[in-house]
Amino acid sequence: MPLTKRRLQLLGQLVELYQRTSLPIHYETLARSLGVSKWTAYDMLKEIEKLGFVTRSYEVNSKETGRSQVVFSPTVKASDLFKQNRSDSINQADWEQTRVHIHNLLKSVKNGNVNDLIRNMMNEIPSKASSIEFCGYILGLLLVYVKKLGGKTETLIRLVVSKTPNSENGTLMFVGTVLGTIIQTINDELGNEFTELVSEFLRTMDQLSSQDRRLLSVMLHEALA
């Protein structure tokens, strides 16, 4: 029985939520995050369990006195599957392809559902194999959110970045400003996801070469121009 793309996506979400909370996850939580029915999520978890990637346990349901509910935790096998060591290098052609892809995503904001676009981008981020690709995607994700806000907020963020004398500081200023806005305007679950991603972004940025940081800065300023 194969670990299909859909099952892999659900398993990845389970691993991410478990790592964040250190608590077993109820299948309804996974269903909401993936936009499927709770029964679909439950059936998928049963299949994944047979492959040895999750284990089930039971806990008291706080909403229904005396009743227990099934929750799931990832096994070591699952955690090992999602361990990722990003490459420190990327060739110019691959970076250009990534940059153009992010640029096209930003252009599509006007024509599509922004919330769906944000969720799709967040789902794509774990597949980014190089450090600069990962950082580029995080910047792209934040840029999409800025465009979603629009109006005075977008104008102010553009102004803050343009007035920062150092390009690298401008990138960090942009990230911090947008994250602060996100935390105040979206639900806790998505806000926590953004915070985790930005924390990893900052750790990764610290390890990038000066050339890669300049490439990210150029991409950001082009998008905000």
Side-chain angles (χ1 to χ4, degrees):
M1 179 175 52
L3 188 59
T4 63
K5 182 178 180 180
R6 192 63 170 157
R7 290 172 183 164
L8 186 64
Q9 183 182 13
L10 183 138
L11 180 59
Q13 189 70 16
L14 173 66
V15 170
E16 180 181 336
L17 290 172
Y18 183 82
Q19 289 176 343
R20 188 186 309 152
T21 64
S22 298
L23 295 171
I25 308 300
H26 191 263
Y27 54 86
E28 284 191 42
T29 302
L30 288 169
R32 286 194 298 271
S33 65
L34 294 175
V36 299
S37 74
K38 63 181 181 180
W39 302 121
T40 297
Y42 181 65
D43 288 339
M44 290 171 66
L45 284 165
K46 287 194 297 182
E47 296 302 315
I48 293 171
E49 184 181 29
K50 294 176 184 177
L51 297 173
F53 289 106
V54 301
T55 58
R56 72 174 67 198
S57 57
Y58 297 86
E59 63 180 26
V60 175
N61 187 342
S62 59
K63 297 179 182 178
E64 297 183 40
T65 305
R67 297 194 63 179
S68 61
Q69 61 182 7
V70 182
V71 290
F72 293 86
S73 303
T75 62
V76 173
K77 182 179 178 181
S79 298
D80 288 343
L81 182 66
F82 287 91
K83 281 182 179 176
Q84 185 173 15
N85 295 313
R86 293 190 176 91
S87 168
D88 291 332
S89 62
I90 185 174
N91 64 52
Q92 186 63 39
D94 287 343
W95 167 246
E96 183 62 18
Q97 184 177 1
T98 298
R99 188 191 67 78
V100 170
H101 179 57
I102 293 171
H103 176 71
N104 290 336
L105 287 174
L106 293 173
K107 288 172 61 177
S108 71
V109 169
K110 297 178 182 178
N111 304 318
N113 185 308
V114 177
N115 290 332
D116 287 346
L117 179 58
I118 288 173
R119 172 53 62 189
N120 289 338
M121 290 184 72
M122 292 180 76
N123 288 338
E124 287 181 32
I125 284 172
S127 68
K128 301 302 110 182
S130 71
S131 296
I132 189 173
E133 271 188 298
F134 169 77
C135 289
Y137 245 76
I138 297 299
L139 289 178
L141 181 64
L142 297 178
L143 283 163
V144 167
Y145 192 79
V146 168
K147 288 186 176 295
K148 175 187 176 182
L149 293 173
K152 292 182 179 179
T153 302
E154 181 180 2
T155 301
L156 179 60
I157 290 173
R158 289 175 184 272
L159 182 63
V160 167
V161 174
S162 67
K163 295 296 183 182
T164 306
N166 180 284
S167 60
E168 183 179 332
N169 288 343
T171 302
L172 297 177
M173 180 71 74
F174 168 78
V175 172
T177 303
V178 179
L179 179 61
T181 305
I182 287 171
I183 290 173
Q184 297 179 53
T185 56
I186 63 176
N187 64 66
D188 290 342
E189 182 176 336
L190 197 55
N192 288 337
E193 287 189 63
F194 268 97
T195 302
E196 289 291 330
L197 287 171
V198 169
S199 295
E200 188 173 352
F201 169 88
L202 294 174
R203 290 192 296 269
T204 305
M205 273 284 288
D206 193 49
Q207 299 170 3
L208 289 179
S209 67
S210 57
Q211 179 182 358
D212 285 348
R213 292 177 188 175
R214 282 195 296 273
L215 289 173
L216 290 170
S217 177
V218 168
M219 186 195 81
L220 176 62
H221 282 79
E222 285 178 348
L224 291 174

